[in-house]
Amino acid sequence: MNAPFPLPTISPSEIDTHNTAGGRDNGHRSGHQEHPALARDFVANVERTKWHDGALWFVRNKRDAQASQIPEWEYLRELASTIKNDAIANLPDYLVEFERNAIARGAVIHWAIDAEEHNRIVYDLLHERGVKRVIKSKSMLTEECHLNPYLESRGIEVIDTDLGERIVQLRGETPSHIVLPAIHIRKEEVGETFHEHLGTTVGASDPKYLTEAARGHLREKFIRGEAGITGVNFAIAETGGFVVCTNEGNADLGASLPPIHIACMGLEKIIPKFEDLGVFTRLLARSATGQPITTYTSHFHGPRHADSELHIVIVDNGRSDLRASDTFRSALGCIRCGACMNTCPVYRRSGGHSYDATVPGPIGSVLNPASDAKKYKSLPYACSLCGSCSDVCPVRIPLHHQLLAWRKEFGKRRLLGLDKTIPMKAASWLFQHPRLYAFAGAWGRRALRWLPRPLIYHRLNAWSRDREMPPAPKESFAQWYAKHRGGRDGN
Amino acid sequence: MATKQSRQTIMDRLNGRTIAAKPHPAVDHARTVSYPDPVAKFTEILTWVGGRVQQVDDMGEVSHHLHQLPHYQSAKWIASTVSAAVQGNFNLAQAEDPHSLAELDWSIIGGEFCVAENGAIWVAPQDVSQRAMVFIAQHLAIIVSRSQMVMHMHDAYRRLGGVPGGPDRFGVFVSGPSKTADIEQSLVLGAHGCRTLEVFLTP
Amino acid sequence: MTVALFVPCYIDQLYPDVAIATLELLESCGVSVECPRGQTCCGQPMANTGCSADAAPVARRFVHLFADFDHIVCPSGSCTAMVRHHYADYFDPADPRFQHVSTNTFELCEYLTDVLKISSLNVRFPHRVSVHQSCHGLRELRLGASSETRVAGARDKMRELLAMVDDIDWVHATRSDECCGFGGTFAVNESDVSAAMGRDRIADHIAADSEVIVAGDMSCLMHLQGLISRNKSPIAVMHIAQLLMGRPLNTNHSDRPLAQATRT
């Protein structure tokens, strides 16, 4: 696999940076750090971790409550999985169908091989029309392509209008969650940021007050915006239209006010039939935020009237490569609900930034290695293989099995460090030689019983940092069996 | 043009791989949820997400209910596409540019049908003067017939998909006032769209 | 019907009483159990690290050792899941010995409920007990219904067995099936998050006023026990086989007294 997929860290020169109140500098990093080191920093702040974990567990609970109200919940997941698999399998045909129908409705379709081309297409559209002020609603694709810094460095103002995204934008950070971008930020920190940028009262942290301030501030941006950029939740092959789901109404203001609407989508967002929306609109918000449906589920079939423009940019950026993999193809079915993040006990306790990628969490740990296996090789190991992610995924992506598959893939490609390969080779050899295994086991236990504590409990023994060693019995089960049930088979 | 070439490249990549998959499934209607009292369910859910629902017997009652609201009494600009219920004082015919709707306190619009499972109302082009009307006003009122009720989204899309000529240029399911929980998961009603949603269910 | 006991490597070396209790439990249900000579490991540690080449010979050895038994029973959900769901990589799909072993390896609880179909036990355990649902047993073997899914008529095989024990006082952690954080090599690769996860589980069970956390996987309990001992937490751990054989509350904690564990 050689094509890039979600892109790596933002380069420091392209973004205005500050330290967050948590003391971590998100978005300005001189070198990539792997998950364990970043997670350690995060989880060391016990109070903050408890808060972050609690906030996301709260969202997971809301999702559970919604799922309980739908007796056919598992059937819906099965339907969604089958529909997405059909869409992915027959993608070229559906894309052609979508393009034909969308053009018939008056939309203009653009194709981008990669992030760079996507950014160039969007910039050219804006530049040709003399647009200087863009209002953008949440689009993980544009995050993936790093569209904002690209446009900003070329003199175009980009305002992220989703409240969470606006907060991280003002703070010079990247989102830490694909649905709840500011989940890692305390309300006091939002208050500080708004005081600095919006002139709210110093020390104010009431969410209602702060949201009201953001409403006023962003309303002015909506009115003055010259072009609107949105993402796409679902693109319908059968009709050539697409759907955008929001709670805030920001995508709709962005699409309804300026005369130009640019919709950016990964090519995997295609669903075959209009009626498929029935399945996905029942699953998306319930899985993402624990709501029966988002406040607005907006349908776009062509420009809103004769004098306005609708452009749809269809992006590959590594998706066609992922599609070619039998093992990982189903990950393209992701509808970006974030449920896997909310349920992941590791994500909750390490935070989205510890993945150092646009899309974090379980799905990110499956997608990111496809673009850069070396860089992201710690991500499939940032996982206890608990399987909760696979059980919440509305499209039944077998996420934890795919994470395991990545580990095997790394093994095949010889990307594993000696700290992994040597112990495993040794273990494998021991396990193939039962008498040596028994011998090693007996002496290992003796060592645990006899060695002075400092020789067992030290910095190199990662287990012992937080835990006492397991007990060291005098007899193994095999030894007990031979002694007490002797005469029959035993080691 | 550059994107024609990219299109070809992408298509070549996709066509270079034949993938088997199960056929596109049909939804088994017998396995979908059904509510004995869909209007009650609709009302329950829409209320839960922050909307206010009122059953009325005729259009005249709509105006009466609105006038009970302090934020309606003090409203400066009221636009209505349902003249039988409310006349409004904003000339929508003159307001072609969506930006001119920015000062609206109230949009009073119609709705096509309701969805019981999630308190959503389908708003179509004929219900508004233009799309922005739904999102730009401070407060939104939707007048819709409670006899136009479907159980769930499968039925909703079946209804929408059955329109000859295909879907309208635009349309939106609205369920509740705009909202956000982006600040510490604390729910705030009234993000960028309407701050409140009043729904009037006519016969 | 020949039944073999599959003893996970860490139970053999570190928690032999779990295997002894398993053996005794099966025998008390009328099963004649054999322990094949020379068993070591199912290969899961190597497989989960990504070292398939190192897992392969261990897996093949496992199948060779156990292929001649009708049933293979194991007091570990995760080892059982390895054999049932993750052995395909190492074998020709048409290999009859592989097919036999991978379909006839059972976790202990499911063996008791589904194969032996036991309906009563003669054991008393008058303590406040909370259950830890080990992830592989739950989400791979479906020993119970996971809190994420909505499957009608799902059973909970661990609870079915524990319901046969007299005088158990049930208490419940608030998060019914959150992972303990062991995850095999995860425990050392991501030791900070692993420890945080484990501490949270322990605190949850203690807050429920439990005296003992019971689970079907000793690996989870090994990790929790390590944290409990380090932090001197007032709670014990037991494998379900030990509880069902009526072992005392402090059976895994003889190295230190459980001073505050029994709050009567």
Side-chain angles (χ1 to χ4, degrees):
Chain A
M1 295 190 196
N2 51 17
F5 196 11
L7 288 188
T9 44
I10 296 167
S11 93
S13 60
E14 288 176 317
I15 205 167
D16 197 21
T17 62
H18 350 279
N19 276 317
T20 67
R24 293 195 50 241
D25 199 354
N26 299 300
H28 183 141
R29 189 161 294 118
S30 53
H32 168 75
Q33 277 183 279
E34 298 207 316
H35 186 273
L38 294 168
R40 160 176 277 189
D41 285 346
F42 189 96
V43 80
N45 186 333
V46 175
E47 189 270 332
R48 191 186 196 98
T49 300
K50 193 177 156 84
W51 167 77
H52 186 263
D53 170 77
L56 285 156
W57 185 254
F58 172 62
V59 184
R60 155 77 208 271
N61 273 339
K62 288 199 289 180
R63 170 257 172 215
D64 286 358
Q66 281 299 312
S68 296
Q69 303 210 7
I70 307 295
E72 67 270 34
W73 181 256
E74 296 302 325
Y75 176 53
L76 286 180
R77 292 178 68 217
E78 188 192 309
L79 285 168
S81 172
T82 310
I83 292 168
K84 277 288 182 175
N85 286 338
D86 168 45
I88 294 161
N90 298 297
L91 195 52
D93 295 338
Y94 287 131
L95 280 170
V96 167
E97 189 186 356
F98 172 75
E99 180 190 45
R100 184 180 66 240
N101 289 325
I103 289 173
R105 291 297 201 135
V108 181
I109 305 291
H110 308 261
W111 298 80
I113 295 186
D114 56 21
E116 168 71 30
E117 188 172 13
H118 162 273
N119 294 345
R120 210 164 6 92
I121 289 169
V122 174
Y123 172 71
D124 286 345
L125 284 171
L126 299 169
H127 183 66
E128 281 159 19
R129 288 152 185 74
V131 169
K132 289 290 183 201
R133 295 187 300 275
V134 167
I135 42 181
K136 183 157 82 71
S137 66
K138 182 123 47 72
S139 157
M140 288 317 298
L141 175 72
T142 61
E143 275 292 331
E144 175 190 320
C145 298
H146 300 297
L147 178 67
N148 287 20
Y150 186 94
L151 294 179
E152 284 160 351
S153 64
R154 286 161 179 76
I156 297 179
E157 174 195 73
V158 183
I159 304 291
D160 278 316
T161 58
D162 174 275
L163 178 59
E165 294 237 312
R166 185 61 179 148
I167 292 169
V168 299
Q169 184 175 46
L170 289 173
R171 292 170 66 84
E173 291 180 32
T174 55
S176 71
H177 187 290
I178 63 177
V179 171
L180 317 164
I183 191 76
H184 61 291
I185 303 173
R186 317 288 301 252
K187 59 184 192 284
E188 290 79 14
E189 294 169 308
V190 179
E192 283 164 24
T193 302
F194 279 13
H195 169 68
E196 185 184 335
H197 293 274
L198 309 187
T200 50
T201 313
V202 72
S205 67
D206 174 47
K208 271 204 179 66
Y209 169 71
L210 295 172
T211 302
E212 182 68 32
R215 180 189 174 96
H217 156 73
L218 283 167
R219 200 167 168 91
E220 190 246 323
K221 303 289 185 192
F222 284 125
I223 301 298
R224 285 171 32 95
E226 295 167 314
I229 297 178
T230 71
V232 166
N233 287 95
F234 307 104
I236 311 133
E238 191 181 23
T239 62
F242 60 91
V243 174
V244 180
C245 306
T246 68
N247 281 319
E248 299 179 21
N250 57 317
D252 291 288
L253 285 172
S256 305
L257 288 169
I260 312 142
H261 174 186
I262 303 172
C264 305
M265 57 176 270
L267 45 72
E268 87 285 13
K269 288 306 181 78
I270 291 282
I271 58 175
K273 297 190 182 309
F274 191 68
E275 70 186 15
D276 295 336
L277 289 169
V279 175
F280 292 105
T281 54
R282 299 188 75 200
L283 285 168
L284 178 61
R286 289 191 170 100
S287 301
T289 50
Q291 305 168 265
I293 194 169
T294 44
T295 303
Y296 305 105
T297 305
S298 228
H299 295 55
F300 299 84
H301 282 89
R304 66 171 190 272
H305 66 58
D307 292 338
S308 58
E309 294 181 68
L310 173 62
H311 294 266
I312 304 172
V313 187
I314 302 176
V315 182
D316 183 350
N317 205 29
R319 287 152 171 79
S320 54
D321 276 350
L322 203 62
R323 179 178 173 273
S325 157
D326 288 333
T327 311
F328 300 110
R329 172 180 312 129
S330 60
L332 285 176
C334 175
I335 62 175
R336 299 291 194 266
C337 72
C340 60
M341 287 161 218
N342 303 339
T343 201
C344 177
V346 177
Y347 176 91
R348 284 200 304 273
R349 291 176 181 81
S350 58
H353 289 141
S354 67
Y355 297 76
D356 202 11
T358 302
V359 179
I363 186 65
S365 301
V366 171
L367 298 174
N368 295 317
S371 74
D372 191 336
K374 252 202 202 112
K375 178 175 176 193
Y376 291 115
K377 69 181 194 295
S378 70
L379 297 191
Y381 293 92
C383 167
S384 62
L385 297 177
C386 79
S388 184
C389 50
S390 302
D391 271 0
V392 296
C393 179
V395 293
R396 286 217 175 141
I397 301 168
L399 289 164
H400 71 299
H401 286 162
Q402 289 179 342
L403 292 170
L404 182 56
W406 267 121
R407 300 179 186 186
K408 294 183 180 170
E409 188 61 31
F410 295 157
K412 271 194 223 137
R413 296 189 203 176
R414 301 181 187 281
L415 285 173
L416 299 180
L418 292 175
D419 61 322
K420 288 190 166 74
T421 54
I422 290 179
M424 288 304 129
K425 274 217 163 4
S428 172
W429 184 80
L430 265 184
F431 289 139
Q432 294 174 62
H433 297 90
R435 276 192 289 267
L436 288 166
Y437 154 81
F439 182 83
W443 279 98
R445 281 178 280 115
R446 277 186 198 115
L448 276 178
R449 286 199 303 277
W450 295 345
L451 283 179
R453 196 175 163 91
L455 285 184
I456 304 171
Y457 293 85
H458 51 72
R459 273 184 57 249
L460 290 177
N461 180 353
W463 178 276
S464 72
R465 276 206 285 268
D466 295 280
R467 289 163 279 232
E468 291 296 292
M469 297 300 284
K474 294 211 176 72
E475 278 181 339
S476 67
F477 172 77
Q479 287 172 306
W480 175 91
Y481 192 83
K483 190 192 286 182
H484 296 273
R485 303 297 181 92
R488 293 215 258 156
D489 280 337
N491 266 338
Chain B
M1 197 180 10
T3 103
K4 262 206 174 72
Q5 200 159 343
S6 300
R7 181 189 184 284
Q8 193 57 51
T9 307
I10 291 170
M11 283 302 169
D12 289 344
R13 284 178 187 167
L14 296 174
N15 282 315
R17 192 88 171 74
T18 308
I19 297 165
K22 285 201 280 206
H24 190 274
V27 176
D28 180 358
H29 216 82
R31 294 175 75 170
T32 58
V33 72
S34 189
Y35 305 105
D37 187 347
V39 175
K41 187 70 186 173
F42 171 86
T43 304
E44 174 203 329
I45 302 294
L46 185 46
T47 307
W48 187 65
V49 299
R52 283 160 38 103
V53 186
Q54 198 74 241
Q55 288 201 31
V56 296
D57 290 328
D58 60 62
M59 290 293 190
E61 285 181 50
V62 172
S63 187
H64 170 76
H65 284 293
L66 285 172
H67 274 100
Q68 310 298 314
L69 303 172
H71 50 283
Y72 188 83
Q73 291 162 20
S74 60
K76 190 153 174 239
W77 293 113
I78 298 167
S80 170
T81 57
V82 190
S83 51
V86 172
Q87 277 292 338
N89 61 358
F90 189 92
N91 191 339
L92 285 169
Q94 302 277 12
E96 265 205 51
D97 178 354
H99 295 81
S100 59
L101 303 176
E103 297 309 309
L104 280 183
D105 295 295
W106 280 87
S107 279
I108 299 175
I109 64 177
E112 295 303 299
F113 64 89
C114 310
V115 185
E117 74 160 317
N118 53 24
I121 301 164
W122 177 252
V123 174
Q126 62 264 30
D127 297 312
V128 293
S129 64
Q130 57 178 300
R131 195 163 70 198
M133 217 190 147
V134 180
F135 311 100
I136 200 166
Q138 300 295 327
H139 305 279
L140 181 65
I142 307 179
I143 302 164
V144 59
S145 165
R146 60 184 179 268
S147 71
Q148 301 303 308
M149 177 76 64
V150 301
M151 286 297 179
H152 44 56
M153 294 306 277
H154 305 294
D155 285 346
Y157 279 103
R158 194 164 306 160
R159 179 175 172 142
L160 287 173
V163 174
D168 289 319
R169 195 175 277 282
F170 66 86
V172 55
F173 284 106
V174 179
S175 175
S178 74
K179 57 173 73 93
T180 179
D182 271 334
I183 301 177
E184 279 209 29
Q185 283 304 297
S186 188
L187 184 66
V188 177
L189 299 183
H192 305 302
C194 61
R195 296 170 184 273
T196 66
L197 174 66
E198 308 290 323
V199 171
F200 296 99
L201 296 177
T202 59
Chain C
M1 181 70 57
T2 54
V3 179
L5 181 63
F6 154 28
V7 182
C9 51
Y10 62 94
I11 288 182
D12 175 48
Q13 290 297 324
L14 301 171
Y15 295 98
D17 184 59
V18 172
I20 297 168
T22 303
L23 177 65
E24 292 172 346
L25 182 56
L26 289 168
E27 287 174 341
S28 74
C29 296
V31 179
S32 170
V33 183
E34 295 178 52
C35 294
R37 159 195 289 268
Q39 59 176 296
T40 55
C41 176
C42 65
Q44 188 179 193
M46 288 74 75
N48 283 1
T49 304
C51 302
S52 306
D54 298 313
V58 178
R60 290 191 203 114
R61 193 170 170 278
F62 182 94
V63 166
H64 180 74
L65 266 176
F66 285 95
D68 294 327
F69 295 93
D70 295 312
H71 290 161
I72 302 135
V73 184
C74 175
S76 162
S78 86
C79 304
T80 303
M82 173 70 190
V83 176
R84 282 236 288 271
H85 295 169
H86 297 288
Y87 258 18
D89 279 355
Y90 314 113
F91 298 92
D92 181 333
D95 178 344
R97 288 163 75 80
F98 152 67
Q99 280 176 7
H100 171 75
V101 168
S102 69
T103 50
N104 288 285
T105 300
F106 301 91
E107 182 276 340
L108 174 64
C109 294
E110 64 180 0
Y111 195 71
L112 292 168
T113 57
D114 297 352
V115 179
L116 298 181
K117 296 192 171 59
I118 67 164
S119 55
S120 69
L121 289 164
N122 189 14
V123 59
R124 218 183 140 243
F125 195 78
H127 297 288
R128 288 186 305 281
V129 175
S130 53
V131 172
H132 171 73
Q133 293 276 16
S134 302
C135 295
H136 291 154
L138 184 65
R139 296 191 189 86
E140 295 271 338
L141 301 179
R142 300 295 178 191
L143 299 180
S146 67
S147 61
E148 299 88 352
T149 53
R150 298 286 167 270
V151 179
R155 294 166 64 192
D156 186 333
K157 298 175 189 178
M158 272 185 69
R159 282 186 200 274
E160 281 177 27
L161 291 169
L162 291 168
M164 299 177 200
V165 178
D166 291 330
D167 301 331
I168 279 189
D169 184 5
W170 288 100
V171 293
H172 304 277
T174 61
R175 299 190 189 181
S176 62
D177 52 24
E178 186 179 24
C179 178
C180 69
F182 174 66
T185 51
F186 176 82
V188 294
N189 288 335
E190 293 264 1
S191 60
D192 305 285
V193 175
S194 166
M197 286 166 69
R199 282 192 288 262
D200 284 351
R201 287 295 79 235
I202 292 163
D204 197 359
H205 286 265
I206 288 177
D209 208 26
S210 168
E211 295 180 76
V212 58
I213 302 170
V214 66
D217 258 281
M218 205 60 203
S219 46
C220 304
L221 297 177
M222 174 171 71
H223 160 71
L224 293 179
Q225 182 188 43
L227 292 164
I228 287 168
S229 297
R230 173 64 57 88
N231 298 303
K232 303 197 189 344
S233 306
I235 196 164
V237 298
M238 280 176 86
H239 188 279
I240 191 169
Q242 294 173 310
L243 194 157
L244 295 178
M245 284 310 296
R247 298 284 199 266
L249 181 65
N250 66 345
T251 195
N252 295 313
H253 303 269
S254 52
D255 57 328
R256 69 170 185 100
L258 285 175
Q260 304 94 14
T262 48
R263 293 187 292 284
T264 42

